[in-house]
Amino acid sequence: MAASPLPTALFGYEYYQNPYPAFAWLRENSPVHEFRFPVGDVRTWIVTRFEDVHALLGDPRFSNDAAAYADREFLDSGMVMGADTPVARILTVLDPPDHTRVRKLAMGAFTPRRVAQWREPTERIVAASLDALAASERPDVVEYASAIPAAVIGEILGIPMTRYNDMLHAIDRAFRPDDDKDKIQRAFEDIAEYGRELIAEKRTMLGDDLMSVFIEARDGNDRLTGDELVSMLALMIMAGLDTTRNLIGSAVLALLDHPGQRRLLMSDPELVPGAVEEFLRYDGALTVGLFRFAKEDLEFAGSRLPAGAPVIAALQAANRDPGRFTDPDRLDITRVGTRHVGFGHGLHNCLGAALARVEAGVAIPAIFERFPDLALAVPRAEVTYSENWLLRGLDSLPVHLHGADGEKGGAR
């Protein structure tokens, strides 16, 4: 394969800091692009145009199930997520009819009434997190953004998240670009073991909470198996913690970068729901989707793909596609109309999207209400993103709570 003139190498350090120049080049020059995925050195294709990403996520000729459909090179690379653990059969990799059955059972936990009930604990937890941020000697928005979903997930699942940091570290290890496959496998085993312990504890104290709903979920004589419960809890923790943390952190940074948009948001609370959608579109929590695999030799968007080909949907490339969005590189919290793919699309649209929207809708405006002169405590160039192939999240975001000089005044 000839050397690519991409402005930055895919899934390298510069890409992690700013993937958008590479995405722009790909959309224009190679919208279904073949390359070597660095973890496992696997032949892979990445799709970047909105129309193609949207189609890929809903195309029944592709599967998320690596064990059933991935080519031999992918299987031998050790890239199968959580192989030999319940995480390998997580909802996000199931196909119908298993996906249909498990998702139907799980959706009983996401009724409109229950989603509405999540706002009160979220507001209470955000207020406590703001107090902790105010008391910190070195305030960091990422710590604030991390504390909120941990406490919210713990409360609505009905399980104390005493091992939250261990879980976050396991998730981070599982999706970092590491050539040590044994480390990646151990990370997934840690996630699964954590899930087993929490479910065993919850079975002794069922209540009116999300985990109890999952445990008691049934459709006729059908109910979630033990491994399905573990995988469902792992999904809620993986998606619910890191995704929400990343969304809140990136949104706060975006508003610090765009003070006019920040002032607009704070002047009109009715803009908050639309603003959350714009934050997801502009610099969302997921850079790409999970691998999809061609079930057969096929043609997709003008490219021939062999059976078993691993294909990545570049969600954030699609969300910045000028063919779909007007002036897509501009943050505009009043943007209306066209929907993004920040939470995916189709069968595997994010199950916990409603919870993430509730948390972000409370936490993002609340930090600016409490600290209207919030400002970066480091030069903008020193703000870095984690080297995580799936998720887009800040390493840290140190701030001055009362302006850059510690007095009223801060960024305008």
Side-chain angles (χ1 to χ4, degrees):
M1 192 162 41
S4 168
L6 273 162
T8 55
L10 293 175
F11 302 97
Y13 178 78
E14 294 301 326
Y15 162 90
Y16 287 119
Q17 302 316 305
N18 182 9
Y20 297 108
F23 288 161
W25 188 93
L26 287 170
R27 284 194 307 266
E28 183 67 24
N29 298 283
S30 186
V32 181
H33 182 74
E34 182 183 344
F35 72 108
R36 304 296 297 188
F37 192 78
V39 182
D41 189 31
V42 175
R43 184 190 187 198
T44 304
W45 286 258
I46 187 168
V47 177
T48 48
R49 290 179 180 168
F50 185 96
E51 183 178 353
D52 297 336
V53 166
H54 194 268
L56 173 65
L57 295 174
D59 193 327
R61 298 177 301 164
F62 293 87
S63 170
N64 282 26
D65 189 345
Y69 291 105
D71 61 24
R72 178 49 53 190
E73 181 183 40
F74 190 94
L75 293 173
D76 290 345
S77 74
M79 281 290 290
V80 178
M81 187 175 72
D84 302 321
T85 76
V87 183
R89 304 306 299 161
I90 205 166
L91 182 62
T92 51
V93 305
L94 296 181
D95 289 332
D98 288 341
H99 179 277
T100 307
R101 181 184 66 83
V102 173
R103 186 162 181 127
K104 181 179 180 181
L105 287 166
M107 283 304 295
F110 295 91
T111 63
R113 179 188 67 83
R114 192 174 294 277
V115 171
Q117 291 175 339
W118 295 339
R119 187 170 184 89
E120 184 280 326
T122 298
E123 290 175 341
R124 174 166 33 83
I125 287 164
V126 166
S129 299
L130 288 169
D131 289 342
L133 188 66
S136 175
E137 292 184 3
R138 295 184 176 180
D140 189 322
V141 171
V142 171
E143 292 182 6
Y144 165 75
S146 299
I148 292 165
V152 170
I153 284 284
E155 183 155 333
I156 70 170
L157 284 174
I159 299 171
M161 299 293 287
T162 53
R163 288 176 57 191
Y164 164 66
N165 286 329
D166 289 342
M167 192 66 180
L168 268 189
H169 292 155
I171 294 169
D172 189 56
R173 296 198 312 274
F175 291 103
R176 276 188 175 270
D178 196 320
D179 287 331
D180 189 333
K181 306 305 182 298
D182 290 338
K183 284 184 180 179
I184 294 173
Q185 179 65 17
R186 284 197 297 273
F188 280 111
E189 290 170 356
D190 288 346
I191 294 168
E193 183 58 30
Y194 184 66
R196 292 188 189 96
E197 293 174 4
L198 290 177
I199 290 167
E201 180 180 341
K202 171 49 60 177
R203 285 189 186 279
T204 68
M205 50 176 186
L206 294 175
D208 184 24
D209 52 65
L210 219 56
M211 201 60 233
S212 296
V213 173
F214 291 145
I215 290 172
E216 296 180 315
R218 64 169 60 248
D219 182 19
N221 293 324
D222 189 20
R223 63 190 311 161
L224 295 172
T225 67
D227 279 354
E228 287 169 348
L229 280 169
V230 171
S231 70
M232 184 60 62
L233 179 57
L235 176 62
M236 286 295 298
I237 292 173
M238 285 192 289
L241 295 182
D242 247 4
T243 303
T244 307
R245 173 182 68 172
N246 294 346
L247 173 58
I248 294 170
S250 292
V252 170
L253 177 60
L255 291 173
L256 291 174
D257 285 342
H258 300 83
Q261 293 290 295
R262 181 178 70 189
R263 288 193 295 270
L264 183 60
L265 181 65
M266 301 318 296
S267 70
D268 187 356
E270 292 188 2
L271 291 174
V272 170
V276 170
E277 301 309 313
E278 177 67 351
F279 297 138
L280 283 161
R281 184 205 69 81
Y282 178 75
D283 201 17
L286 294 163
T287 309
V288 300
L290 294 172
F291 286 94
R292 302 212 76 199
F293 304 93
K295 294 181 178 179
E296 59 195 36
D297 292 342
L298 55 84
E299 181 174 315
F300 178 81
S303 295
R304 295 295 303 173
L305 300 176
V311 186
I312 295 173
L315 304 179
Q316 283 309 115
N319 285 338
R320 295 280 191 105
D321 186 345
R324 185 71 174 183
F325 301 96
T326 301
D327 199 3
D329 293 325
R330 178 172 60 89
L331 180 72
D332 179 6
I333 64 170
T334 66
R335 193 184 297 271
V336 295
T338 307
R339 291 186 63 83
H340 58 76
V341 288
F343 280 135
H345 167 69
L347 288 177
H348 297 290
N349 186 49
C350 179
L351 185 67
L355 175 58
R357 288 183 166 105
V358 169
E359 293 176 88
V362 174
I364 295 164
I367 192 172
F368 290 103
E369 289 169 359
R370 179 74 174 269
F371 308 111
D373 297 295
L374 192 76
L376 285 176
V378 296
R380 180 63 175 81
E382 293 182 11
V383 176
T384 60
Y385 286 82
S386 300
E387 296 183 60
N388 185 306
W389 69 263
L390 180 69
L391 301 164
R392 179 152 174 82
L394 295 163
D395 289 317
S396 65
L397 190 63
V399 290
H400 294 300
L401 301 180
H402 302 293
D405 58 0
E407 302 295 334
K408 293 292 182 183
R412 294 297 182 200

